[in-house]
Amino acid sequence: MKTIFIFIQALLFVACSFTRETPKEWQTIFENNNANGTFVLYNLDTQEYKYYNSLRSDSAFIPASTFKILNSLIALETNVIKDENEIIKWDGIDRGWDKWNRDQNMKSAIAVSCVWFYQELARRIGKNRMQNWLNKVKYGNRQMGGKIDNFWLQGNLRISANEQVKFLEKLVNNNLPFKKKNMETVKRIMITDSTGNYIVHSKSGWETKTNPQIGWLVGYVEKGNSKWIFAMNMDIVKKSDLELRKKITYDILRDEKIIK
């Protein structure tokens, strides 16, 4: 009898953990911001998933600059760059943004999402090694297409919000096929917000070749010993919509009492 009771409890836990019912507060957040998108939140402690627009959470989009997370890992693992502090000289080409028009290291480049820096890393890695790592990590659909230095922007690579969460879960738990020191480095350079109560590690992305365009924000929050992983994407109809990636994410994290 006790065994049956434990089994029923386990079934209920699994059912609750994978529920795809949208919290009403999340729906209000998206509607108040006139945003069409999806949000996935995964609690590492309870293994509970929460969703907004669960159907879209399975839909795959080009990762855009969120791919810089994996690009950083591969670059460090293949030793095409020594560490997060090694400088790559700016080539002098004006790319229309002062923050890009300067020498960069990985730490500065990921903070400003510097495309030319990560294009150089990708060229150093090379197509064959890049494809091998996509396969090892099982990242999205694993299809590059396009050129080695723009396939995550204009190629065939696609990933869903759910897949982003699974990838980040492996990173957080050091379960990716990279040296631990490299994973710890990438997690460290992903820090975008740190207070006395919580630390946010995140990376944004902006795909500009489709209509509507797609905006991403993926990452995780540390609060004490607890961690929550999130991934959101949304339609970008006008440039001002880009600000909503962080606004919606933080509104949801506040609603869940994860941050203040």
Side-chain angles (χ1 to χ4, degrees):
M1 188 69 178
K2 184 177 179 181
T3 302
I4 294 173
F5 176 73
I6 293 172
F7 178 71
I8 292 172
Q9 277 189 319
L11 286 177
L12 288 172
F13 175 77
V14 170
C16 290
S17 296
F18 290 91
T19 181
R20 290 198 164 196
E21 182 179 353
T22 296
K24 290 181 180 179
E25 294 81 5
W26 294 20
Q27 183 170 346
T28 300
I29 289 169
F30 270 85
E31 289 177 351
N32 285 348
N33 288 286
N34 195 28
N36 180 38
T38 188
F39 194 96
V40 183
L41 183 66
Y42 178 61
N43 186 325
L44 271 175
D45 291 341
T46 64
Q47 299 180 26
E48 178 187 13
Y49 284 89
K50 289 187 177 181
Y51 295 87
Y52 173 78
N53 196 348
S54 63
L55 186 62
R56 178 164 170 147
S57 71
D58 289 320
S59 297
F61 301 94
I62 202 160
S65 287
T66 65
F67 183 72
K68 289 183 173 72
I69 300 170
L70 182 55
N71 202 353
S72 298
L73 288 164
I74 297 171
L76 290 167
E77 195 74 15
T78 55
N79 297 310
V80 302
I81 196 164
K82 181 175 63 177
D83 55 33
E84 73 273 29
N85 297 310
E86 182 181 339
I87 296 291
I88 296 180
K89 293 289 186 179
W90 175 44
D91 57 13
I93 298 174
D94 186 353
R95 292 176 173 84
W97 196 22
D98 289 343
K99 291 183 178 180
W100 287 9
N101 295 339
R102 60 185 65 176
D103 298 347
Q104 302 281 351
N105 58 28
M106 189 180 289
K107 187 162 54 177
S108 67
I110 200 168
V112 298
S113 207
C114 183
V115 172
W116 70 258
F117 179 92
Y118 278 91
Q119 288 180 314
E120 174 60 23
L121 291 186
R123 287 190 289 266
R124 292 181 182 185
I125 293 164
K127 189 171 184 178
N128 290 337
R129 285 196 294 186
M130 186 71 81
Q131 184 64 66
N132 286 338
W133 281 107
L134 287 174
N135 293 338
K136 283 183 183 179
V137 174
K138 300 179 181 179
Y139 186 88
N141 66 358
R142 310 175 211 178
Q143 298 178 21
M144 290 174 60
K147 299 178 181 179
I148 181 61
D149 59 3
N150 72 1
F151 67 89
W152 63 92
L153 297 169
Q154 301 180 30
N156 298 329
L157 188 61
R158 299 291 184 273
I159 192 168
S160 70
N162 283 322
E163 289 170 328
Q164 293 265 26
V165 168
K166 290 173 184 176
F167 165 67
L168 289 168
E169 179 188 5
K170 291 177 182 177
L171 175 60
V172 170
N173 290 327
N174 292 324
N175 284 333
L176 288 170
F178 301 103
K179 295 183 182 68
K180 183 178 179 181
K181 69 173 184 177
N182 293 335
M183 289 187 281
E184 292 297 334
T185 293
V186 172
K187 285 186 278 189
R188 188 167 59 249
I189 65 175
M190 285 175 61
I191 294 176
T192 50
D193 194 5
S194 181
T195 73
N197 295 316
Y198 60 84
I199 302 172
V200 179
H201 308 247
S202 67
K203 185 69 196 79
S204 60
W206 180 20
E207 184 277 319
T208 62
K209 301 301 180 182
T210 60
N211 185 21
Q213 299 170 358
I214 302 297
W216 283 99
L217 189 63
V218 305
Y220 65 100
V221 183
E222 294 182 87
K223 185 178 180 181
N225 294 321
S226 297
K227 296 181 180 71
W228 295 261
I229 300 168
F230 62 85
M232 75 91 73
N233 63 60
M234 58 172 288
D235 294 347
I236 303 297
V237 179
K238 55 188 183 300
K239 195 170 182 179
S240 60
D241 290 341
L242 291 169
E243 299 175 359
L244 297 179
R245 295 171 299 177
K246 181 176 179 179
K247 181 179 186 301
I248 289 172
T249 296
Y250 273 53
D251 284 349
I252 289 174
L253 294 175
R254 289 188 189 99
D255 181 72
E256 292 293 319
K257 305 296 189 294
I258 297 171
I259 67 173
K260 294 182 179 180

